[in-house]
């Protein structure tokens, strides 16, 4: 990796060290005393030396990453199972072997497992010879599958937290299952009431597919993998290349398993930690919370989805609802195909394990830079999530190397390996709820990696004050797929500016940190989406063949992730820039203005508060610069540390001020007024979610009061943004 800062720095460092020793001696003579502080500076290399070392080839190790991934993915390890407890033990012992102080924090949480499933396709007269069809709902072992011996440990395909029950109804094809798809069906005169929806995976969160079906009047939902989206599009369920293990595509029997719970954390302990013996909602109370589906559902394969589709008649679906060239013509129904669907699940309180490792900061031990990734997987989890776990262990391994060479972080670094993310971000959420006040007063930033690698191409999401830092770190790390450029260069290539997404979605463990307590956060990965997602084919063979054959992308994720953490942990001033936040909010506010320009909503308060934020961000940046420029003598350095800390506290706490104690109306766990999932798609990220919800309601009610409540939500956001600028300014009014 050519552009990566190389370890030839060690040479420069020797020179630098001599210079610094000289300076130290001179100041000793001049001032008469050598404070322990200046001695400390002169006796160890500067932080930048360690940061360059961190990303150098000399200490990165793809063999170690590959080994960890292999070890973690030997067996399926769903949350709450013995296999996943063993995976936790593996992570713990690896961290301990790196001399990092580590422990397991357990929670007792409400999980669900499948007991029985049945799906039968029939048709009223005239009877068809092919019917009834009883689907076997099984994923096939592939040729040469090294995991065939443990394939029976893969859970039967199901939706976690699906409603148990038996339903029978005519099939309606609902495309992606979005709210707008039901609108289209309604416009085309398709009666949804009492039907079973067949919808395809890929556009929105599966829990919302099921819930939208329920709201449209359906009594059950089947969600299938269309080969157009996951199979390479071609004939027979695969592209011309075929499917896994010949090609990266999902085999025809592959099923995307997953949760349909639409919230964060243990559904039976909303807002409080699931510690042993704690208060818990009853099943009825959980249902009343409104984020578990009220109709049964099942996920099915491309092959089964296509079979069902052949028995759906009625109007031909729109062009953009159709499958690939050689798929049957998709029609809307209802019927004539009728599905009998039975799902029975078991609820159980199971113990889950978060592994927490701590490298204590020397100068500011009470300031935390937190890295997190989950460990639990629906099946083998080679991509999701253990590519991230292997990267986390690589970060830990390199930090051990740095410690061996004398590095000590200024702030505390916390490495977290979460459990039960797949069920609903449970391990991370319970931990955040358990440690809420300490985190809110001490956490500087949270850096998440879920699937570290699904393929090529760097992706990042962040709260906007971290944008510049991500640019800076990616400018230092080599592109794993092209050694003559940096990650930054490949990242910006399409339109010459980095695309940084925001963290409003509910897709991973950053949710509790950002959306519940307001901690600056980021999430990075290589690749985005992959065909065998949440199926039993997400195994080590797939990763080695298609995801990352040389494990160089894993190396790159560990480099960006760890280097970003090192900057946050070691830089004297927190590398936050709230000007990016002000620009981003200005852009969002302009878009909002365009969206509701004719509704008489006054956005002036919002624009005014964003202007104040911009001024406060400029001012704090200047304060920081002034301190740096005024430094002449080392002894002055020590004296201004209190001021440095005070500025850093303002930078850290500013993000908290975007949260509001009451939270969003009707979903009060979400406290952040800028970022939260959109209501009808948990994966979808909206800005100003409270305003968004209110607009949606006003559009459907069309009353003056409902538009007044949009205005109220605009005021709430304006006040939050104003609070942020006051925190940045650091002065009482
Ligand atoms: C829709 O179907 C349901 C159930 O079959 C029926 O009760 C209802 O009358 C139908 N609605 C319309 C508008 O046809
Ligand atoms: C489907 O369900 C209906 C109603 O519950 C039942 O009468 C019928 O026997 C079932 N069909 C099959 C093939 O199981
Ligand atoms: C690799 O990066 C260089 C420098 O940016 C660029 O000119 C070249 O086209 C890239 N090669 C590939 C295969 O993308
Ligand atoms: C590590 O990378 C090197 C060089 O890119 C490659 O030759 C080697 O096969 C990789 N090792 C593994 C385990 O993938």
């Amino acid at each position: 990796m050519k552009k990566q800062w190389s370890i030839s720095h060690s040479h420069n460092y020797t020179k630098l060290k001599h210079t610094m020793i000289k300076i130290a001696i001179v100041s000793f003579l001049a001032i008469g005393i050598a404070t322990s502080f200046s001695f400390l500076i002169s006796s160890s290399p500067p932080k930048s030396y360690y940061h360059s070392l961190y990303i150098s080839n000399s200490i990165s190790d793809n063999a170690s990453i590959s080994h960890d991934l292999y070890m973690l993915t030997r067996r399926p390890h769903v949350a709450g199972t013995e296999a996943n407890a063993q995976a936790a033990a593996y992570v713990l012992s690896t961290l301990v072997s790196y001399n990092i102080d580590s422990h397991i924090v357990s929670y007792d949480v409400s999980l669900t497992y499948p007991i029985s499933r049945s799906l039968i396709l029939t048709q009223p007269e005239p009877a068809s010879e092919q019917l009834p069809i009883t689907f076997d709902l099984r994923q096939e072992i592939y040729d040469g599958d090294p995991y065939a011996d443990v394939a029976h440990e893969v859970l039967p395909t199901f939706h976690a937290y699906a409603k148990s029950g038996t339903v029978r109804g005519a099939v309606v094809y609902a495309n992606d299952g979005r709210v707008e798809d039901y609108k289209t069906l309604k416009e085309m005169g398709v009666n949804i009431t009492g039907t079973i929806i067949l919808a395809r995976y890929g556009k929105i969160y599966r829990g919302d597919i099921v819930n939208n079906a329920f709201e449209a009047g359906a009594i059950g939902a089947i969600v299938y993998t269309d080969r157009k989206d996951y199979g390479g599009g071609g004939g027979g369920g695969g592209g011309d290349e075929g499917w896994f293990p010949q090609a990266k595509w999902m085999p025809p029997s592959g099923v995307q398993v997953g949760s349909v719970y639409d919230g964060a954390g243990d559904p039976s302990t909303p807002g409080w930690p699931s510690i042993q013996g704690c208060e818990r909602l009853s099943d009825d109370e959980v249902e009343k919370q409104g984020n578990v589906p009220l109709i049964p559902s099942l996920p099915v394969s491309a092959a089964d989805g296509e079979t069902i589709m052949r028995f759906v008649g009625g109007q031909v679906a729109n062009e953009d609802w159709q499958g690939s060239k050689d798929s049957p013509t998709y029609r809307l129904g209802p019927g004539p195909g009728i599905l009998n669907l039975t799902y029975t699940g078991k609820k159980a309180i199971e113990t889950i394990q978060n592994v927490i490792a701590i490298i204590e900061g020397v100068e500011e031990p009470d300031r935390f830079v937190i890295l997190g990734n989950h460990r639990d997987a629906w099946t083998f989890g080679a991509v999701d999530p253990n590519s991230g776990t292997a990267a986390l262990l690589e970060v830990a391994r390199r930090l051990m190397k740095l410690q061996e060479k004398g590095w000590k972080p200024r702030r505390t670094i916390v490495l977290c390996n979460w459990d039960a993310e797949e069920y609903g971000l449970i391990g991370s959420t319970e931990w955040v709820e358990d440690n809420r006040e300490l985190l809110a007063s001490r956490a500087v930033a949270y850096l998440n990696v879920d699937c570290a690698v699904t393929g090529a191409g760097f992706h990042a999401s962040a709260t906007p004050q971290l944008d510049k830092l991500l640019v800076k770190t990616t400018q230092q790390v080599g592109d794993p797929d092209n050694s003559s450029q940096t990650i930054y260069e490949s990242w910006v290539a399409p339109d010459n500016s980095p695309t940084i997404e925001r963290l409003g979605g509910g897709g991973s463990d950053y949710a509790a940190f950002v959306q519940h307590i307001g901690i600056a956060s980021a999430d990075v990965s290589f690749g985005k989406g992959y065909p065998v997602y949440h199926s039993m084919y997400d195994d080590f063979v797939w990763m080695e063949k298609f995801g990352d054959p040389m494990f160089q992308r894993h190396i790159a994720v560990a480099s960006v992730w760890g280097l970003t953490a090192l900057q946050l942990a070691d830089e004297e001033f927190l590398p936050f820039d709230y000007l990016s936040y002000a620009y981003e909010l200005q852009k969002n506010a302009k878009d909002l203005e365009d969206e509701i320009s004719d509704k008489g909503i006054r956005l002036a308060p919002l624009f005014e508060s964003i202007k104040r934020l911009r001024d406060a961000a400029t001012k704090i940046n200047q304060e920081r610069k002034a301190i740096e420029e005024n430094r002449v003598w080392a002894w002055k350095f020590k004296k201004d540390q209190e001021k440095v800390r005070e500025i850093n506290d303002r930078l850290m706490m500013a993000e908290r001020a975007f949260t509001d104690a009451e939270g969003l109306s009707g979903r009060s766990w979400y406290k952040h007024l800028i970022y939260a999932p959109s209501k009808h798609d948990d994966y979808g990220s909206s800005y100003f979610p409270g305003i968004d919800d209110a607009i949606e309601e006003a559009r459907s009610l069309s009353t003056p009061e409902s538009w007044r409540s949009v205005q109220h939500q605009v005021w709430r956001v304006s006040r939050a943004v104003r609070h942020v600028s006051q925190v940045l300014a650091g002065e009482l009014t």
Side-chain angles (χ1 to χ4, degrees):
M1 281 184 259
K2 200 171 137 207
K3 298 239 169 131
Q4 196 158 287
W5 288 11
S6 82
I7 203 55
S8 62
H9 279 245
S10 60
H11 184 72
N12 297 346
Y13 157 61
T14 315
K15 258 197 251 162
L16 184 61
K17 188 174 174 184
H18 286 155
T19 317
M20 296 200 80
I21 289 170
K22 272 185 220 153
I23 291 170
I25 293 169
V26 168
S27 54
F28 178 85
L29 294 173
I31 300 161
I33 51 157
T35 64
S36 60
F37 195 71
S38 66
F39 182 73
L40 203 115
I41 290 175
S42 61
S43 65
S44 70
K47 289 289 170 42
S48 59
Y49 160 76
Y50 291 110
H51 297 181
S52 305
L53 176 62
Y54 177 83
I55 54 173
S56 75
N57 290 331
S58 69
I59 69 162
S60 48
D61 185 355
N62 62 343
S64 160
I65 293 175
S66 157
H67 175 75
D68 285 336
L69 185 65
Y70 176 77
M71 294 300 287
L72 286 162
T73 58
R74 296 281 297 272
R75 294 170 62 191
H77 48 288
V78 173
T81 63
E82 176 55 29
N84 202 36
Q86 281 173 18
Y90 179 83
V91 170
L92 180 71
S93 69
T94 306
L95 291 166
V96 168
S97 77
Y98 298 155
N99 286 319
I100 302 176
D101 185 13
S102 310
H103 63 280
I104 284 179
V105 185
S106 296
Y107 295 97
D108 286 356
V109 302
S110 172
L111 305 178
T112 75
Y113 303 93
I115 298 290
S116 74
R117 310 154 307 148
S118 125
L119 187 65
I120 302 168
L121 179 63
T122 59
Q123 164 177 305
E125 302 299 321
S128 156
E129 274 178 18
Q130 299 159 45
L131 298 177
I133 294 170
T134 301
F135 296 97
D136 77 358
L137 307 172
R138 254 172 218 268
Q139 306 184 79
E140 278 164 22
I141 291 165
Y142 57 91
D143 278 349
D145 186 346
Y147 301 105
D149 61 327
V150 287
H152 65 278
E153 294 179 19
V154 174
L155 287 185
T157 53
F158 80 123
H159 280 154
Y161 301 109
K163 173 95 177 162
S164 289
T166 295
V167 288
R168 177 176 191 269
V171 185
V172 166
Y173 171 51
N175 194 33
D176 300 308
R178 298 166 300 181
V179 170
E180 58 263 43
D181 294 325
Y182 288 104
K183 223 175 121 201
T184 304
L185 284 171
K186 201 173 163 195
E187 282 162 11
M188 295 178 77
V190 179
N191 185 358
I192 316 280
T193 307
T195 63
I196 293 184
I197 289 300
L198 177 65
R200 55 179 170 186
Y201 270 125
K203 284 274 162 50
I204 62 170
Y205 177 60
R206 71 187 77 70
D208 293 303
I209 296 180
V210 178
N211 198 46
N212 294 344
F214 166 73
E215 287 185 357
I219 55 169
I222 301 294
V223 191
Y224 80 104
T225 295
D226 196 302
R227 63 180 147 103
K228 182 183 180 184
D229 308 312
Y230 296 86
D240 296 335
E241 327 139 73
W243 54 81
F244 185 66
Q246 278 71 47
K248 69 177 179 180
W249 306 109
M250 180 80 117
S253 76
V255 176
Q256 181 193 129
V257 167
S259 179
V260 289
Y261 165 55
D262 206 354
D266 181 345
S268 71
T269 65
W272 67 86
S274 298
I275 54 174
Q276 203 181 23
C278 72
E279 178 190 3
R280 227 170 255 289
L281 301 186
S282 68
D283 291 354
D284 282 355
E285 288 168 322
V286 169
E287 273 195 4
K288 283 206 195 86
Q289 299 273 310
N291 43 26
V292 291
L294 300 175
I295 55 174
S297 64
L298 271 184
V300 303
S301 66
D304 291 353
E306 194 162 308
T307 301
I308 297 169
M309 198 72 88
R310 287 180 196 281
F311 291 89
V312 179
Q315 302 175 65
V316 173
N318 291 337
E319 189 50 41
D320 56 338
W321 290 35
Q322 294 296 330
S324 41
K325 289 183 297 293
D326 48 356
S327 297
T329 300
Y330 292 178
R331 295 171 180 273
L332 302 177
I338 291 175
L339 283 171
N340 280 27
L341 158 64
T342 297
Y343 172 74
T344 312
K346 173 184 82 170
K347 286 205 184 68
I349 304 293
E350 296 288 349
T351 302
I352 60 165
Q353 293 91 16
N354 293 333
V355 185
I356 309 287
I358 296 174
I359 302 176
E360 191 159 297
V362 173
E363 285 139 282
E364 299 186 77
D366 62 346
R367 288 294 175 266
F368 308 146
V369 174
I370 304 168
L371 288 74
N373 147 268
H374 74 97
R375 180 186 65 259
D376 65 300
W378 282 125
T379 64
F380 297 95
V383 173
D384 185 4
N386 301 124
S387 57
T389 316
L392 183 75
L393 293 176
E394 167 71 2
V395 170
R397 201 187 53 75
R398 292 195 214 170
L399 294 180
M400 164 195 70
K401 295 280 179 200
L402 260 51
Q403 286 188 294
E404 283 170 3
K405 293 210 178 334
W407 165 82
K408 292 187 178 76
R410 176 188 177 101
R411 304 185 180 87
T412 294
I413 295 178
V414 185
L415 307 175
C416 306
N417 184 228
W418 310 120
D419 202 344
E421 186 269 359
E422 295 294 0
Y423 276 85
L425 319 178
I426 293 180
S428 58
T429 299
E430 298 312 312
W431 191 75
V432 167
E433 289 173 351
D434 205 6
N435 295 284
R436 189 177 58 210
E437 283 70 26
L438 280 183
L439 292 171
S441 58
R442 299 180 178 188
V444 163
Y446 173 69
L447 306 175
N448 191 65
V449 170
D450 189 320
C451 304
V453 182
T454 69
F458 181 73
H459 290 273
S461 314
T463 49
Q465 74 276 58
L466 293 176
D467 288 1
K468 274 200 179 153
L469 177 60
L470 284 171
V471 165
K472 189 175 158 195
T473 54
T474 53
Q475 283 171 338
Q476 293 171 59
V477 179
D479 175 5
D481 294 297
N482 182 344
S483 60
S484 51
Q485 65 184 2
T486 62
I487 289 179
Y488 179 78
E489 285 165 312
S490 69
W491 183 27
V492 302
D495 46 10
N496 219 16
S497 81
T499 305
I500 302 180
E501 310 218 349
R502 300 305 166 201
L503 295 170
S508 194
D509 291 306
Y510 52 75
F513 291 91
V514 181
Q515 298 159 13
H516 189 54
I517 58 174
I519 291 175
S521 298
D523 180 272
V524 299
S525 67
F526 264 83
K528 210 182 188 188
Y530 63 109
V532 299
Y533 172 67
H534 283 191
S535 76
M536 78 170 226
Y537 308 106
D538 180 0
D539 66 12
F540 188 81
V541 177
W542 191 93
M543 178 59 83
E544 213 180 19
K545 271 182 121 155
F546 304 110
D548 194 9
M550 298 292 180
F551 289 88
Q552 292 297 336
R553 294 171 188 152
H554 282 79
I555 292 271
V557 169
S559 293
V560 172
W561 195 9
L563 184 59
T564 305
L566 283 169
Q567 303 273 347
L568 286 161
D570 284 341
E571 294 260 301
E572 182 184 32
F573 284 105
L574 291 178
F576 286 2
D577 186 358
Y578 280 88
L579 276 176
S580 311
Y581 228 129
Y583 289 133
E584 178 79 11
L585 291 174
Q586 178 76 14
K587 205 169 71 197
N588 298 157
K590 277 241 154 60
D591 290 346
L592 179 66
E593 190 174 41
D594 294 343
E595 192 191 336
I596 52 169
S597 55
D598 56 337
K599 303 295 180 193
I601 305 293
R602 249 168 41 81
L603 293 179
L606 182 57
F607 283 110
E608 173 59 28
S609 65
I610 294 170
K611 187 177 168 299
R612 288 177 77 114
L613 175 60
R614 195 169 54 229
D615 294 346
T618 306
K619 194 162 153 277
I620 197 166
N621 288 353
Q622 284 163 351
E623 274 182 73
R624 169 158 58 180
K625 210 158 155 214
I627 291 182
E628 283 167 335
E629 283 168 359
N630 281 340
R631 278 193 189 137
V632 184
W633 300 102
W635 53 270
K636 219 176 158 186
F637 194 80
K638 188 176 183 183
K639 238 172 83 183
D640 67 20
Q641 285 303 296
E642 275 170 30
K643 184 65 190 162
V644 169
R645 169 105 173 176
E646 192 271 332
I647 288 177
N648 282 338
D649 280 355
R650 285 191 259 150
L651 290 167
M652 172 178 74
M653 295 308 288
E655 180 71 35
R656 309 293 187 270
F658 285 116
T659 63
D660 179 282
E662 277 180 35
L664 299 179
S665 64
R667 38 185 191 146
S668 63
W669 184 85
Y670 295 97
K671 308 284 185 205
H672 204 285
L673 297 190
I674 312 298
Y675 298 117
S678 43
K679 235 179 178 173
H680 296 283
D681 177 16
D682 188 68
Y683 287 159
S685 160
S686 59
Y687 52 86
F688 308 149
I691 301 177
D692 230 40
D693 289 354
I695 290 173
E696 190 190 285
E697 184 159 304
R699 286 227 159 99
S700 81
L701 295 178
S702 252
T703 58
E705 304 85 75
S706 64
W707 283 104
R708 260 203 304 283
S709 98
V710 173
Q711 183 71 65
H712 172 62
Q713 295 297 333
V714 170
W715 276 113
R716 286 184 79 194
V717 174
S718 312
R719 286 192 287 269
V721 175
R722 188 188 150 99
H723 281 307
V724 175
S725 54
Q726 278 167 215
V727 173
L728 283 180
E731 282 165 16
L732 294 172
T733 57

